[in-house]
Amino acid sequence: DTFFSMQASPRMCTSQQDVYMTRHSARADRDHCNWKPLPGFSRDDTECSKGGNRANEQLADAMEDIHIDYIVCSPFYRCLQTVAPIAKRKQIQIKVEPGICEVLTTFPPGFQDTAKLSSEFLIDLYYQPVMTR
């Protein structure tokens, strides 16, 4: 997986900010032809593959010396798995934003509620998302 930095133009804001973006790591359903959703999850809400989880740790390693103020993430499980090692190492709560998820096979998209996800991930339960389902 790759990530990149976009420098904000000084004309656009009063301070310079770096924004780092990443796509989720490798999906388990793309690695295994007999993949089945985790219990209670929809077909859209795929977890990361074993290789994807290794890539998640590598991403956290690459971000180790970078200051991060916020982590904003799609509510899909694989996306949260991708940023979870960064959040854990830096002790930053993840702001779950449904507005940045894609609709794959079902509408509304089949992701878990934030409260349920908070049992496994470091989630900011006080964050008010811009969009809801």
Side-chain angles (χ1 to χ4, degrees), residues 56-102:
N56 299 342
E57 293 295 333
Q58 292 171 346
L59 177 61
D61 290 343
M63 302 293 287
E64 189 166 327
D65 295 329
I66 297 172
H67 175 78
I68 297 175
D69 291 316
Y70 304 103
I71 298 174
V72 181
C73 185
S74 163
F76 281 122
Y77 193 75
R78 63 189 169 274
C79 299
L80 287 159
Q81 284 181 301
T82 301
V83 299
I86 299 168
K88 183 178 179 181
R89 291 182 194 186
K90 295 186 176 287
Q91 287 299 295
I92 299 172
Q93 292 183 327
I94 302 165
K95 297 173 185 329
V96 176
E97 179 53 61
I100 55 174
C101 78
E102 60 189 331

Short mmCIF file of all heavy atoms in Angstrom, two decimals, residues 56-102:
data_model
loop_
_atom_site.label_atom_id
_atom_site.label_comp_id
_atom_site.label_asym_id
_atom_site.label_seq_id
_atom_site.Cartn_x
_atom_site.Cartn_y
_atom_site.Cartn_z
N ASN A 56 -0.60 -3.12 7.30
CA ASN A 56 -1.08 -2.13 8.26
C ASN A 56 0.02 -1.80 9.27
O ASN A 56 0.21 -0.63 9.63
CB ASN A 56 -2.31 -2.66 9.01
CG ASN A 56 -3.47 -2.94 8.09
OD1 ASN A 56 -3.52 -2.46 6.95
ND2 ASN A 56 -4.41 -3.73 8.56
N GLU A 57 0.72 -2.81 9.73
CA GLU A 57 1.83 -2.59 10.68
C GLU A 57 2.97 -1.84 10.00
O GLU A 57 3.60 -0.97 10.61
CB GLU A 57 2.32 -3.92 11.26
CG GLU A 57 1.30 -4.61 12.15
CD GLU A 57 0.96 -3.84 13.42
OE1 GLU A 57 1.80 -3.06 13.92
OE2 GLU A 57 -0.17 -4.03 13.92
N GLN A 58 3.24 -2.16 8.74
CA GLN A 58 4.29 -1.45 7.99
C GLN A 58 3.92 0.02 7.80
O GLN A 58 4.80 0.89 7.89
CB GLN A 58 4.53 -2.12 6.64
CG GLN A 58 5.15 -3.49 6.77
CD GLN A 58 5.19 -4.25 5.46
OE1 GLN A 58 4.52 -3.88 4.47
NE2 GLN A 58 5.97 -5.31 5.42
N LEU A 59 2.65 0.30 7.56
CA LEU A 59 2.21 1.68 7.44
C LEU A 59 2.43 2.42 8.75
O LEU A 59 2.93 3.55 8.77
CB LEU A 59 0.73 1.74 7.03
CG LEU A 59 0.11 3.13 6.93
CD1 LEU A 59 0.82 3.98 5.87
CD2 LEU A 59 -1.38 3.01 6.62
N ALA A 60 2.08 1.79 9.87
CA ALA A 60 2.30 2.40 11.18
C ALA A 60 3.79 2.64 11.42
O ALA A 60 4.17 3.68 11.97
CB ALA A 60 1.70 1.54 12.28
N ASP A 61 4.63 1.71 10.99
CA ASP A 61 6.08 1.90 11.10
C ASP A 61 6.52 3.13 10.31
O ASP A 61 7.31 3.95 10.80
CB ASP A 61 6.84 0.68 10.57
CG ASP A 61 6.70 -0.56 11.44
OD1 ASP A 61 6.28 -0.44 12.61
OD2 ASP A 61 6.99 -1.66 10.92
N ALA A 62 6.00 3.27 9.10
CA ALA A 62 6.38 4.39 8.23
C ALA A 62 5.91 5.73 8.79
O ALA A 62 6.54 6.76 8.56
CB ALA A 62 5.81 4.18 6.83
N MET A 63 4.83 5.71 9.56
CA MET A 63 4.25 6.95 10.11
C MET A 63 4.76 7.25 11.52
O MET A 63 4.34 8.23 12.12
CB MET A 63 2.72 6.84 10.14
CG MET A 63 2.06 6.57 8.80
SD MET A 63 2.20 7.92 7.64
CE MET A 63 1.08 9.10 8.33
N GLU A 64 5.64 6.42 12.03
CA GLU A 64 6.05 6.51 13.44
C GLU A 64 6.59 7.89 13.83
O GLU A 64 6.27 8.41 14.89
CB GLU A 64 7.10 5.44 13.74
CG GLU A 64 7.40 5.34 15.21
CD GLU A 64 8.16 4.09 15.55
OE1 GLU A 64 7.94 3.05 14.89
OE2 GLU A 64 8.96 4.15 16.49
N ASP A 65 7.41 8.51 12.99
CA ASP A 65 8.03 9.79 13.34
C ASP A 65 7.24 10.99 12.81
O ASP A 65 7.75 12.11 12.83
CB ASP A 65 9.46 9.84 12.81
CG ASP A 65 10.34 8.81 13.51
OD1 ASP A 65 10.08 8.50 14.69
OD2 ASP A 65 11.29 8.31 12.86
N ILE A 66 6.03 10.78 12.35
CA ILE A 66 5.21 11.85 11.80
C ILE A 66 4.16 12.25 12.83
O ILE A 66 3.46 11.39 13.38
CB ILE A 66 4.54 11.40 10.49
CG1 ILE A 66 5.63 11.10 9.45
CG2 ILE A 66 3.56 12.45 9.98
CD1 ILE A 66 5.12 10.47 8.18
N HIS A 67 4.07 13.54 13.09
CA HIS A 67 3.06 14.04 14.03
C HIS A 67 1.68 13.96 13.36
O HIS A 67 1.50 14.39 12.24
CB HIS A 67 3.36 15.49 14.42
CG HIS A 67 2.29 16.08 15.28
ND1 HIS A 67 2.19 15.78 16.62
CD2 HIS A 67 1.25 16.89 14.99
CE1 HIS A 67 1.14 16.41 17.12
NE2 HIS A 67 0.55 17.09 16.15
N ILE A 68 0.72 13.40 14.08
CA ILE A 68 -0.64 13.27 13.57
C ILE A 68 -1.60 13.83 14.61
O ILE A 68 -1.53 13.46 15.79
CB ILE A 68 -0.98 11.79 13.27
CG1 ILE A 68 -0.06 11.26 12.17
CG2 ILE A 68 -2.45 11.64 12.88
CD1 ILE A 68 -0.23 9.79 11.88
N ASP A 69 -2.47 14.73 14.18
CA ASP A 69 -3.48 15.30 15.08
C ASP A 69 -4.79 14.53 15.04
O ASP A 69 -5.44 14.38 16.07
CB ASP A 69 -3.76 16.77 14.71
CG ASP A 69 -2.59 17.68 15.02
OD1 ASP A 69 -2.00 17.53 16.10
OD2 ASP A 69 -2.26 18.51 14.16
N TYR A 70 -5.19 14.09 13.85
CA TYR A 70 -6.48 13.44 13.69
C TYR A 70 -6.35 12.25 12.76
O TYR A 70 -5.57 12.27 11.81
CB TYR A 70 -7.52 14.38 13.05
CG TYR A 70 -7.71 15.66 13.80
CD1 TYR A 70 -7.14 16.84 13.35
CD2 TYR A 70 -8.47 15.70 14.96
CE1 TYR A 70 -7.32 18.03 14.03
CE2 TYR A 70 -8.65 16.88 15.66
CZ TYR A 70 -8.07 18.03 15.19
OH TYR A 70 -8.25 19.19 15.88
N ILE A 71 -7.17 11.24 13.02
CA ILE A 71 -7.35 10.14 12.08
C ILE A 71 -8.84 10.08 11.77
O ILE A 71 -9.66 9.91 12.68
CB ILE A 71 -6.87 8.79 12.67
CG1 ILE A 71 -5.37 8.85 12.98
CG2 ILE A 71 -7.19 7.65 11.70
CD1 ILE A 71 -4.85 7.62 13.69
N VAL A 72 -9.18 10.26 10.51
CA VAL A 72 -10.57 10.19 10.06
C VAL A 72 -10.65 8.99 9.13
O VAL A 72 -9.81 8.82 8.25
CB VAL A 72 -10.99 11.48 9.32
CG1 VAL A 72 -12.44 11.40 8.87
CG2 VAL A 72 -10.76 12.70 10.20
N CYS A 73 -11.66 8.16 9.35
CA CYS A 73 -11.70 6.88 8.65
C CYS A 73 -13.11 6.49 8.27
O CYS A 73 -14.07 6.80 8.97
CB CYS A 73 -11.10 5.82 9.58
SG CYS A 73 -10.92 4.20 8.83
N SER A 74 -13.23 5.80 7.17
CA SER A 74 -14.47 5.15 6.76
C SER A 74 -14.89 4.15 7.85
O SER A 74 -14.03 3.61 8.54
CB SER A 74 -14.23 4.41 5.44
OG SER A 74 -15.23 3.47 5.19
N PRO A 75 -16.16 3.87 7.97
CA PRO A 75 -16.60 2.90 8.99
C PRO A 75 -16.41 1.44 8.58
O PRO A 75 -16.67 0.55 9.38
CB PRO A 75 -18.10 3.21 9.14
CG PRO A 75 -18.49 3.79 7.84
CD PRO A 75 -17.29 4.53 7.33
N PHE A 76 -15.94 1.18 7.38
CA PHE A 76 -15.73 -0.21 6.99
C PHE A 76 -14.61 -0.83 7.83
O PHE A 76 -13.59 -0.20 8.11
CB PHE A 76 -15.40 -0.33 5.50
CG PHE A 76 -16.62 -0.23 4.62
CD1 PHE A 76 -16.70 0.74 3.64
CD2 PHE A 76 -17.68 -1.12 4.75
CE1 PHE A 76 -17.80 0.83 2.81
CE2 PHE A 76 -18.80 -1.03 3.94
CZ PHE A 76 -18.86 -0.05 2.97
N TYR A 77 -14.82 -2.08 8.19
CA TYR A 77 -13.92 -2.81 9.08
C TYR A 77 -12.48 -2.82 8.56
O TYR A 77 -11.54 -2.56 9.30
CB TYR A 77 -14.45 -4.23 9.26
CG TYR A 77 -13.83 -5.01 10.38
CD1 TYR A 77 -14.16 -4.74 11.70
CD2 TYR A 77 -12.92 -6.02 10.13
CE1 TYR A 77 -13.60 -5.46 12.74
CE2 TYR A 77 -12.36 -6.75 11.16
CZ TYR A 77 -12.70 -6.46 12.46
OH TYR A 77 -12.15 -7.17 13.49
N ARG A 78 -12.29 -3.09 7.27
CA ARG A 78 -10.94 -3.15 6.70
C ARG A 78 -10.23 -1.80 6.78
O ARG A 78 -9.02 -1.75 6.93
CB ARG A 78 -10.99 -3.66 5.26
CG ARG A 78 -11.76 -2.74 4.31
CD ARG A 78 -11.97 -3.38 2.95
NE ARG A 78 -12.91 -2.64 2.14
CZ ARG A 78 -14.22 -2.79 2.17
NH1 ARG A 78 -14.77 -3.65 3.00
NH2 ARG A 78 -15.00 -2.08 1.39
N CYS A 79 -11.00 -0.72 6.67
CA CYS A 79 -10.41 0.62 6.76
C CYS A 79 -9.95 0.90 8.19
O CYS A 79 -8.86 1.43 8.41
CB CYS A 79 -11.41 1.66 6.29
SG CYS A 79 -11.93 1.41 4.58
N LEU A 80 -10.78 0.53 9.14
CA LEU A 80 -10.40 0.70 10.54
C LEU A 80 -9.21 -0.18 10.89
O LEU A 80 -8.31 0.25 11.62
CB LEU A 80 -11.59 0.39 11.45
CG LEU A 80 -12.66 1.48 11.42
CD1 LEU A 80 -13.99 0.95 11.90
CD2 LEU A 80 -12.22 2.67 12.23
N GLN A 81 -9.16 -1.40 10.37
CA GLN A 81 -8.00 -2.26 10.60
C GLN A 81 -6.73 -1.62 10.04
O GLN A 81 -5.66 -1.78 10.63
CB GLN A 81 -8.20 -3.63 9.93
CG GLN A 81 -9.13 -4.55 10.65
CD GLN A 81 -9.22 -5.87 9.91
OE1 GLN A 81 -9.60 -5.92 8.73
NE2 GLN A 81 -8.86 -6.95 10.59
N THR A 82 -6.86 -0.92 8.93
CA THR A 82 -5.70 -0.30 8.30
C THR A 82 -5.09 0.80 9.17
O THR A 82 -3.87 0.88 9.31
CB THR A 82 -6.08 0.26 6.91
OG1 THR A 82 -6.57 -0.83 6.10
CG2 THR A 82 -4.90 0.93 6.22
N VAL A 83 -5.93 1.63 9.78
CA VAL A 83 -5.41 2.74 10.60
C VAL A 83 -5.25 2.40 12.07
O VAL A 83 -4.63 3.16 12.81
CB VAL A 83 -6.26 4.02 10.43
CG1 VAL A 83 -6.25 4.49 8.99
CG2 VAL A 83 -7.68 3.82 10.95
N ALA A 84 -5.80 1.27 12.51
CA ALA A 84 -5.76 0.91 13.94
C ALA A 84 -4.35 0.87 14.53
O ALA A 84 -4.15 1.37 15.64
CB ALA A 84 -6.49 -0.40 14.17
N PRO A 85 -3.36 0.30 13.84
CA PRO A 85 -2.02 0.29 14.44
C PRO A 85 -1.44 1.70 14.65
O PRO A 85 -0.77 1.95 15.65
CB PRO A 85 -1.17 -0.50 13.43
CG PRO A 85 -2.15 -1.36 12.71
CD PRO A 85 -3.41 -0.53 12.62
N ILE A 86 -1.75 2.62 13.75
CA ILE A 86 -1.30 4.00 13.92
C ILE A 86 -1.99 4.61 15.13
O ILE A 86 -1.35 5.22 15.99
CB ILE A 86 -1.59 4.84 12.66
CG1 ILE A 86 -0.84 4.28 11.45
CG2 ILE A 86 -1.22 6.31 12.89
CD1 ILE A 86 -1.29 4.86 10.12
N ALA A 87 -3.31 4.45 15.20
CA ALA A 87 -4.09 5.01 16.31
C ALA A 87 -3.61 4.45 17.65
O ALA A 87 -3.45 5.20 18.62
CB ALA A 87 -5.58 4.71 16.11
N LYS A 88 -3.36 3.17 17.69
CA LYS A 88 -2.92 2.53 18.93
C LYS A 88 -1.55 3.04 19.36
O LYS A 88 -1.35 3.41 20.52
CB LYS A 88 -2.89 1.02 18.75
CG LYS A 88 -2.51 0.26 20.00
CD LYS A 88 -2.55 -1.24 19.77
CE LYS A 88 -2.14 -1.97 21.03
NZ LYS A 88 -2.15 -3.42 20.85
N ARG A 89 -0.61 3.07 18.43
CA ARG A 89 0.75 3.50 18.78
C ARG A 89 0.79 4.96 19.21
O ARG A 89 1.55 5.34 20.09
CB ARG A 89 1.69 3.30 17.59
CG ARG A 89 1.95 1.85 17.27
CD ARG A 89 2.92 1.75 16.14
NE ARG A 89 2.95 0.41 15.57
CZ ARG A 89 3.82 0.05 14.65
NH1 ARG A 89 4.73 0.90 14.18
NH2 ARG A 89 3.80 -1.18 14.16
N LYS A 90 -0.03 5.80 18.56
CA LYS A 90 -0.01 7.24 18.86
C LYS A 90 -1.08 7.65 19.86
O LYS A 90 -1.17 8.81 20.24
CB LYS A 90 -0.16 8.03 17.57
CG LYS A 90 1.03 7.84 16.63
CD LYS A 90 0.94 8.74 15.43
CE LYS A 90 2.15 8.61 14.55
NZ LYS A 90 3.35 9.23 15.10
N GLN A 91 -1.90 6.69 20.29
CA GLN A 91 -3.00 6.94 21.23
C GLN A 91 -3.90 8.08 20.74
O GLN A 91 -4.19 9.03 21.45
CB GLN A 91 -2.46 7.22 22.63
CG GLN A 91 -1.92 5.98 23.32
CD GLN A 91 -3.01 4.93 23.49
OE1 GLN A 91 -3.97 5.13 24.21
NE2 GLN A 91 -2.87 3.79 22.81
N ILE A 92 -4.34 7.94 19.46
CA ILE A 92 -5.25 8.90 18.84
C ILE A 92 -6.55 8.18 18.55
O ILE A 92 -6.56 7.12 17.91
CB ILE A 92 -4.66 9.45 17.51
CG1 ILE A 92 -3.35 10.18 17.76
CG2 ILE A 92 -5.67 10.37 16.83
CD1 ILE A 92 -2.63 10.58 16.49
N GLN A 93 -7.65 8.74 18.99
CA GLN A 93 -8.95 8.16 18.70
C GLN A 93 -9.31 8.40 17.23
O GLN A 93 -9.07 9.48 16.69
CB GLN A 93 -10.02 8.75 19.60
CG GLN A 93 -9.85 8.34 21.05
CD GLN A 93 -10.97 8.88 21.91
OE1 GLN A 93 -11.51 9.96 21.67
NE2 GLN A 93 -11.33 8.11 22.93
N ILE A 94 -9.92 7.40 16.62
CA ILE A 94 -10.32 7.45 15.22
C ILE A 94 -11.69 8.10 15.10
O ILE A 94 -12.63 7.70 15.78
CB ILE A 94 -10.35 6.03 14.62
CG1 ILE A 94 -8.99 5.36 14.76
CG2 ILE A 94 -10.81 6.08 13.16
CD1 ILE A 94 -9.03 3.85 14.52
N LYS A 95 -11.80 9.08 14.23
CA LYS A 95 -13.08 9.72 13.94
C LYS A 95 -13.70 8.97 12.76
O LYS A 95 -13.19 9.01 11.65
CB LYS A 95 -12.87 11.19 13.61
CG LYS A 95 -12.29 11.96 14.80
CD LYS A 95 -11.92 13.36 14.45
CE LYS A 95 -11.24 14.10 15.58
NZ LYS A 95 -11.58 13.77 16.93
N VAL A 96 -14.78 8.26 13.02
CA VAL A 96 -15.43 7.44 11.99
C VAL A 96 -16.39 8.33 11.20
O VAL A 96 -17.31 8.91 11.76
CB VAL A 96 -16.16 6.24 12.62
CG1 VAL A 96 -16.91 5.46 11.55
CG2 VAL A 96 -15.17 5.34 13.34
N GLU A 97 -16.15 8.41 9.89
CA GLU A 97 -16.93 9.27 9.01
C GLU A 97 -17.58 8.45 7.90
O GLU A 97 -16.92 8.08 6.91
CB GLU A 97 -16.03 10.36 8.41
CG GLU A 97 -16.72 11.29 7.46
CD GLU A 97 -17.97 11.92 8.06
OE1 GLU A 97 -17.86 12.63 9.08
OE2 GLU A 97 -19.06 11.69 7.51
N PRO A 98 -18.88 8.16 8.02
CA PRO A 98 -19.57 7.41 6.97
C PRO A 98 -19.58 8.11 5.61
O PRO A 98 -19.75 7.46 4.58
CB PRO A 98 -21.00 7.27 7.51
CG PRO A 98 -20.85 7.40 8.99
CD PRO A 98 -19.73 8.39 9.19
N GLY A 99 -19.37 9.39 5.59
CA GLY A 99 -19.38 10.15 4.34
C GLY A 99 -18.24 9.80 3.41
O GLY A 99 -18.26 10.19 2.24
N ILE A 100 -17.25 9.06 3.89
CA ILE A 100 -16.14 8.69 3.00
C ILE A 100 -16.13 7.19 2.71
O ILE A 100 -15.10 6.62 2.40
CB ILE A 100 -14.76 9.15 3.55
CG1 ILE A 100 -14.51 8.63 4.96
CG2 ILE A 100 -14.65 10.66 3.49
CD1 ILE A 100 -13.12 8.95 5.48
N CYS A 101 -17.29 6.56 2.79
CA CYS A 101 -17.36 5.15 2.40
C CYS A 101 -18.06 5.03 1.06
O CYS A 101 -18.83 5.88 0.66
CB CYS A 101 -18.05 4.31 3.47
SG CYS A 101 -19.83 4.42 3.48
N GLU A 102 -17.76 3.95 0.38
CA GLU A 102 -18.39 3.71 -0.91
C GLU A 102 -19.53 2.72 -0.75
O GLU A 102 -19.54 1.89 0.16
CB GLU A 102 -17.36 3.18 -1.90
CG GLU A 102 -16.71 1.88 -1.46
CD GLU A 102 -15.54 1.48 -2.34
OE1 GLU A 102 -15.54 1.83 -3.53
OE2 GLU A 102 -14.65 0.81 -1.83
#
